[in-house]
C-alpha cells in the first residue's frame, strides 16, 4: 500500500510516551504506519550485505548483455541470501537492549521461510546453490525452524538481560502456514502463485489450511507455560489482549 493507515491499530493501545516500532520485510511499514509509529523500517532484498565477488559478477554480466542481440543469454545466478533476516534480527535486539522505555514493537521476520540456509548453528557454512536453497523439503524446513528457535531464545534473553522480561507481553505468530508441506494435499504449486486463488474458488477449506498458524503468548509475570485453549482463534483477538495488558 502507498497510503498511511488511519483506522484502528494495536499501536493505539499504548500512550504517546511509549516507543512504537515496526520493523520487517517487504511490507511498506514506513508509509502504512507513518501516523502510528515512532520508527518504521522496511527491509528489502537490496538491504542484504553484498560481497566483492557478487558485485563483480553483476558488473561483468552487464557488460556482455549486448550478446542477447545474437541470441546468447547469460542469466545471473541469484544469490540465495535475498532475505535480510540477520539485519532485521539485529535491529530488534538493539532496540530491546538499548532503549529503556516502554516499547510496543512488531518485528516481522522471514524465518522459517525459504531460502533454506540455516540450522541451529546459524548460517550453514557450506555453499548452497540458489536452486537448492529453495528445495522445499521437510529437512530443509526443520533446519530453518531450528534457527528460528535460536532467534526466539535471543529475543527472550535480551528482555531478561535488561530486566524487561517479567513485565513484557511477548507474542509469536505467523502470517501463513508452510505452503509446501508434503503432507498437505493442497500444498502450494511451485509453478504458479495463483494456485490458492484458483483452488479457493472451488474449495473453501483450502484457505483455512493455510491460515492455521501458531499463536504463542507470554503474559506479564507468567511463571510456567500451558495451553490455554485448543480452539482456533483469529489474530484480531490480539488487539483485545494488548488493550487489556498494556493500557
Amino acid at each position: 500500500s502507498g497510503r498511511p493507515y488511519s483506522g484502528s491499530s494495536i499501536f493505539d493501545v499504548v500512550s504517546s510516551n511509549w516507543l512504537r516500532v515496526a520493523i520487517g520485510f517487504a511490507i511498506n511499514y514506513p508509509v502504512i504506519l507513518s501516523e502510528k509509529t515512532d520508527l518504521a523500517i522496511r527491509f528489502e532484498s537490496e538491504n542484504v550485505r553484498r560481497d566483492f565477488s557478487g558485485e563483480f559478477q553483476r558488473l561483468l554480466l552487464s557488460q556482455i548483455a549486448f550478446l542477447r542481440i545474437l541470441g546468447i543469454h547469460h542469466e545471473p545466478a541469484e544469490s540465495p541470501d535475498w532475505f535480510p533476516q540477520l539485519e532485521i534480527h539485529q535491529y530488534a535486539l538493539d532496540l530491546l537492549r538499548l532503549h529503556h522505555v516502554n516499547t510496543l514493537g512488531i518485528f516481522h521476520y522471514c524465518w522459517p521461510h525459504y531460502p533454506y540456509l540455516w540450522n541451529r548453528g546459524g548460517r550453514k557454512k557450506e555453499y548452497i546453490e540458489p536452486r537448492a536453497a529453495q528445495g522445499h523439503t521437510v529437512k530443509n524446513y526443520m533446519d530453518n525452524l531450528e534457527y528460528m528457535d535460536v532467534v526466539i531464545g535471543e529475543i527472550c534473553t535480551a528482555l531478561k538481560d535488561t530486566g524487561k522480561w517479567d513485565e513484557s507481553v511477548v507474542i509469536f505468530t505467523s502470517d501463513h502456514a508452510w505452503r509446501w508441506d508434503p503432507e498437505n494435499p493442497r500444498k502450494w504449486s511451485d509453478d504458479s502463485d495463483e494456485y490458492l486463488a484458483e483452488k479457493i474458488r472451488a474449495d473453501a477449506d483450502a484457505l483455512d489450511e493455510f491460515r492455521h498458524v501458531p499463536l504463542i503468548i507470554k503474559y506479564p509475570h507468567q511463571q510456567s507455560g500451558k495451553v490455554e485453549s485448543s480452539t482456533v482463534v483469529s489474530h484480531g483477538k490480539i488487539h483485545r489482549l494488548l488493550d487489556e495488558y498494556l493500557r
Side-chain angles (χ1 to χ4, degrees):
S1 172
R3 295 179 294 176
Y5 175 71
S6 57
S8 177
S9 161
I10 61 172
F11 289 103
D12 300 328
V13 169
V14 298
S15 60
S16 59
N17 64 340
W18 280 55
L19 178 63
R20 297 164 297 174
V21 178
I23 297 173
F25 177 73
I27 296 175
N28 200 351
Y29 295 110
V31 172
I32 298 172
L33 297 175
S34 60
E35 299 177 0
K36 301 289 184 178
T37 59
D38 303 298
L39 174 65
I41 300 175
R42 171 189 183 179
F43 279 92
E44 279 286 8
S45 299
E46 60 265 23
N47 295 104
V48 175
R49 298 183 186 95
R50 302 197 181 277
D51 56 34
F52 174 79
S53 61
E55 292 299 291
F56 180 76
Q57 181 190 50
R58 278 184 279 274
L59 175 62
L60 178 62
L61 289 171
S62 71
Q63 300 306 303
I64 61 175
F66 71 91
L67 292 175
R68 296 187 180 197
I69 299 172
L70 305 175
I72 303 173
H73 297 271
H74 291 269
E75 295 299 332
E78 274 191 331
S79 167
D81 291 306
W82 58 83
F83 285 173
Q85 295 104 318
L86 290 179
E87 284 79 0
I88 295 170
H89 185 47
Q90 192 58 56
Y91 258 94
L93 293 178
D94 287 346
L95 279 163
L96 295 175
R97 290 168 178 160
L98 301 177
H99 292 275
H100 300 286
V101 296
N102 290 332
T103 302
L104 175 55
I106 294 178
F107 305 112
H108 171 199
Y109 287 85
C110 308
W111 288 302
H113 197 288
Y114 73 88
Y116 303 109
L117 304 173
W118 308 86
N119 57 28
R120 184 165 293 277
R123 177 69 161 80
K124 293 178 179 177
K125 301 191 184 313
E126 68 273 18
Y127 174 72
I128 299 175
E129 293 285 347
R131 287 187 180 277
Q134 296 187 63
H136 303 298
T137 67
V138 173
K139 173 64 167 60
N140 282 342
Y141 184 77
M142 292 304 294
D143 282 349
N144 267 21
L145 197 61
E146 283 190 357
Y147 192 64
M148 186 74 241
D149 187 53
V150 173
V151 167
I152 292 172
E154 290 177 350
I155 292 172
C156 295
T157 298
L159 289 170
K160 292 174 182 177
D161 288 347
T162 54
K164 301 173 183 176
W165 176 255
D166 287 341
E167 299 288 336
S168 295
V169 175
V170 182
I171 300 173
F172 297 103
T173 189
S174 178
D175 59 344
H176 60 75
W178 188 32
R179 294 165 174 163
W180 291 276
D181 182 354
E183 295 184 5
N184 186 344
R186 302 181 180 93
K187 62 180 178 292
W188 194 268
S189 170
D190 282 327
D191 56 8
S192 173
D193 282 354
E194 296 298 321
Y195 175 81
L196 274 184
E198 296 170 2
K199 293 297 182 182
I200 289 166
R201 283 192 285 269
D203 183 357
D205 291 337
L207 180 59
D208 284 337
E209 293 192 14
F210 288 101
R211 281 178 168 171
H212 290 174
V213 296
L215 177 60
I216 304 171
I217 302 170
K218 177 264 173 193
Y219 295 97
H221 306 291
Q222 182 175 333
Q223 298 299 314
S224 61
K226 61 180 178 179
V227 177
E228 291 284 352
S229 173
S230 58
T231 304
V232 177
V233 298
S234 165
H235 277 160
K237 292 194 174 181
I238 295 176
H239 193 292
R240 294 200 293 273
L241 182 148
L242 292 176
D243 187 55
E244 176 183 352
Y245 280 95
L246 300 184
R247 277 201 189 275

